[in-house]
Amino acid sequence: MPLSRRTMLAGAAALTGTTAASAATAAAVPAEAAEVSGVQAAAPSADAAGRAARAVVFRDVRPFGAARATDLVVVDGHVTDGPAPRGAKVVDGGGRIALPSLVDAHIHPDKTTWGGSWVSRRPAGAIADYVAQDVELYRSQRRPVAERAYGLMSHAVARGTRAMRAHADLAPAYGLAGVEGLAEARRRLRHALDVQIVAFPQHGVIRTPGTARLLEDAARSGDVDMIGGIDPIGFDHALDEQLDLVFGIADRHGVGLDIHLHDRGDNGVRTLRGIIDRTRALSLAGKVTVSHVFCLPALSDRELGSLAADLGAQDIALTTVAPSDSLVLPIARLREHGVRVGLGSDGVRDAWSPFGDADMLHRAHLLGWVTDVRLDEELADCYRVAAHGGADVMALPHADLAPGSPADFVLVRGECLPQVVVDMPRRDMVVHGGVVVARDGAFLG
């Protein structure tokens, strides 16, 4: 059967989170003093050390769909359970539900045609076919990577994304253009979005001469947080050579690893074992991620338990997307062994597929759809894996509205969290670090 986005890429479910909110006091500026936009300059207040503090009260919000509205107090970009400092800015939430912002743990913004003209795609039957069309599409684009990526990434912010791990194709056909383009987009969005960049050898590490040198250059550049790999057996046909090379670069330059693994069956398991062994040998626990991992869902419970225990022991994270029920990772089983799992968008309107929208609420909805969930707690878990799973993968604190957590949240109209996952209402307000960065579905720049 020909490869497609649906047959290539996978889904996931379920992590837990906590909830909390805090009340403002009369020390806050009255709501009437707030500008209609809700983003007026805050009157300065001071903390105990005498430093100027940025204080905002988000008035009349319902954290996680609570029955009673409350006020959410933010000081210096973090939720607090203390009283609102005198002179705090007030933003009216209008009784909307407050939910943690989302994390896209796997996306390819460099490939996108988002915001441009429609592109018609030709049939493709293998990864090599898609890769060839990637190059053709790249050469046909009049807009540079930085512009296209910025458009998609700012759109993701307007849909409630607080952070993403962005993969940039790296190959002789592009040089470092993808990495440099994403680095420029990240710089422009640094006030609204936390971004990790992966230098991803989509064309293969060994099969495409010159790629290894580019990976080394990228790791040395300071622009990337991680380097990648791809199917060392099924695509590169060089298990040990590829893994030794990418692990060596990561170890020398102090960057992480995020390896695409589509291979199923024994090839996938052998690769995963090779990754585990090298992570242990080089003491890279906590710095390695494997994306997609299609070999896991078909394993017996015993085989899965053995691999999950080793993944957990080496703190190797996994990421996945949600295109079909047959490839959804066994998240609950993996969590039993402490394995971090994040959810991602993957490609968005690129040579591989016309689909995708970089909307992680939509991705949580798709996760619930393909896993055929029905219960409220199951639907809420789909949201949590989209919010907190990716945060765990990226080593970010949970934006769970608890005191001390980052003030990264979205405000939506709705009844409760499960209903929000199903109905996907407009994100009326997106807050990053206590600052409103999007309103009524539009990025504020």
Side-chain angles (χ1 to χ4, degrees):
M1 181 174 69
L3 289 173
S4 67
R5 175 77 49 167
R6 184 169 297 277
T7 58
M8 286 294 298
L9 305 169
L15 279 178
T16 58
T18 58
T19 69
S22 51
T25 69
V29 173
E32 291 79 11
E35 292 185 2
V36 173
S37 69
V39 293
Q40 80 280 14
S45 56
D47 62 14
R51 295 174 295 127
R54 293 182 295 109
V56 188
V57 178
F58 291 87
R59 179 150 293 166
D60 190 25
V61 299
R62 297 187 293 125
F64 298 93
R68 295 184 61 184
T70 186
D71 293 347
L72 200 61
V73 180
V74 175
V75 176
D76 285 339
H78 291 80
V79 176
T80 179
D81 58 356
R86 185 171 301 280
K89 176 174 66 177
V90 175
V91 177
D92 184 15
R96 292 173 177 82
I97 296 176
L99 295 171
S101 295
L102 301 158
V103 177
D104 195 327
H106 187 103
I107 187 171
H108 294 262
D110 65 311
K111 295 174 180 281
T112 192
T113 63
W114 187 267
S117 301
W118 180 256
V119 173
S120 297
R121 294 151 186 87
R122 300 192 313 276
I127 291 178
D129 296 331
Y130 287 103
V131 165
Q133 292 188 37
D134 277 337
V135 175
E136 293 175 13
L137 185 59
Y138 169 78
R139 291 173 176 167
S140 72
Q141 292 297 297
R142 295 182 179 180
R143 296 178 299 151
V145 171
E147 181 181 337
R148 290 184 283 113
Y150 175 83
L152 181 64
M153 293 159 72
S154 60
H155 167 79
V157 171
R159 295 300 182 269
T161 294
R162 64 182 278 235
M164 63 171 55
R165 180 173 290 175
H167 295 255
D169 277 14
L170 175 149
Y174 316 117
L176 296 178
V179 167
E180 293 166 351
L182 290 194
E184 172 62 17
R186 173 172 64 183
R187 185 193 65 77
R188 292 177 63 188
L189 289 164
R190 62 187 180 274
H191 65 292
L193 183 68
D194 297 320
V195 181
Q196 293 177 354
I197 297 176
V198 184
F200 172 48
Q202 175 76 81
H203 297 194
V205 178
I206 307 303
R207 67 184 283 157
T208 306
T211 300
R213 178 184 57 78
L214 287 169
L215 284 170
E216 193 93 42
D217 291 345
R220 190 184 294 115
S221 72
D223 283 338
V224 305
D225 304 277
M226 317 186 85
I227 63 168
I230 180 170
D231 296 323
I233 298 177
F235 187 58
D236 232 5
H237 309 299
L239 173 62
D240 292 329
E241 190 176 358
Q242 183 192 130
L243 291 184
D244 286 347
L245 193 150
V246 298
F247 270 86
I249 293 173
D251 187 42
R252 283 195 298 278
H253 296 284
V255 297
L257 280 162
D258 192 325
I259 298 172
H260 284 55
L261 181 57
H262 310 100
D263 282 348
R264 308 185 196 186
D266 184 60
N267 283 350
V269 172
R270 285 175 57 203
T271 298
L272 204 50
R273 287 290 181 196
I275 291 170
I276 292 168
D277 291 345
R278 286 165 176 81
T279 302
R280 182 187 299 112
L282 293 173
S283 300
L284 292 178
K287 298 191 70 176
V288 177
T289 301
V290 188
S291 294
H292 305 310
V293 211
F294 291 165
C295 60
L296 286 182
L299 295 179
S300 69
D301 187 66
R302 180 177 178 180
E303 292 172 315
L304 176 61
S306 175
L307 265 175
D310 290 340
L311 290 167
Q314 295 306 313
D315 195 15
I316 295 172
L318 308 179
T319 67
T320 187
V321 297
S324 71
D325 59 349
S326 63
L327 295 174
V328 171
L329 290 179
I331 303 301
R333 190 78 169 94
L334 290 164
R335 284 192 304 152
E336 291 174 6
H337 295 279
V339 180
R340 296 173 289 135
V341 183
L343 184 67
S345 293
D346 203 42
V348 177
R349 208 164 294 183
D350 54 22
W352 289 61
S353 172
F355 294 101
D357 57 11
D359 184 339
M360 286 301 295
L361 178 55
H362 185 202
R363 188 61 47 170
H365 172 99
L366 290 173
L367 177 58
W369 176 271
V370 301
T371 53
D372 196 26
V373 302
R374 297 176 56 252
L375 306 181
D376 283 0
E377 186 59 24
E378 293 171 330
L379 288 163
D381 277 344
C382 291
Y383 193 93
R384 293 183 191 118
V385 73
H388 304 322
D392 291 335
V393 169
M394 291 181 63
L396 299 173
H398 287 192
D400 55 12
L401 307 183
S405 68
D408 297 345
F409 55 89
V410 297
L411 297 184
V412 298
R413 293 192 182 277
E415 198 175 340
C416 58
L417 176 53
Q419 176 258 328
V420 168
V421 172
V422 171
D423 288 347
M424 299 178 291
R426 183 181 70 181
R427 281 23 58 95
D428 290 341
M429 192 180 299
V430 180
V431 178
H432 188 78
V435 177
V436 178
V437 294
R439 186 181 287 276
D440 298 332
F443 181 59
L444 296 179

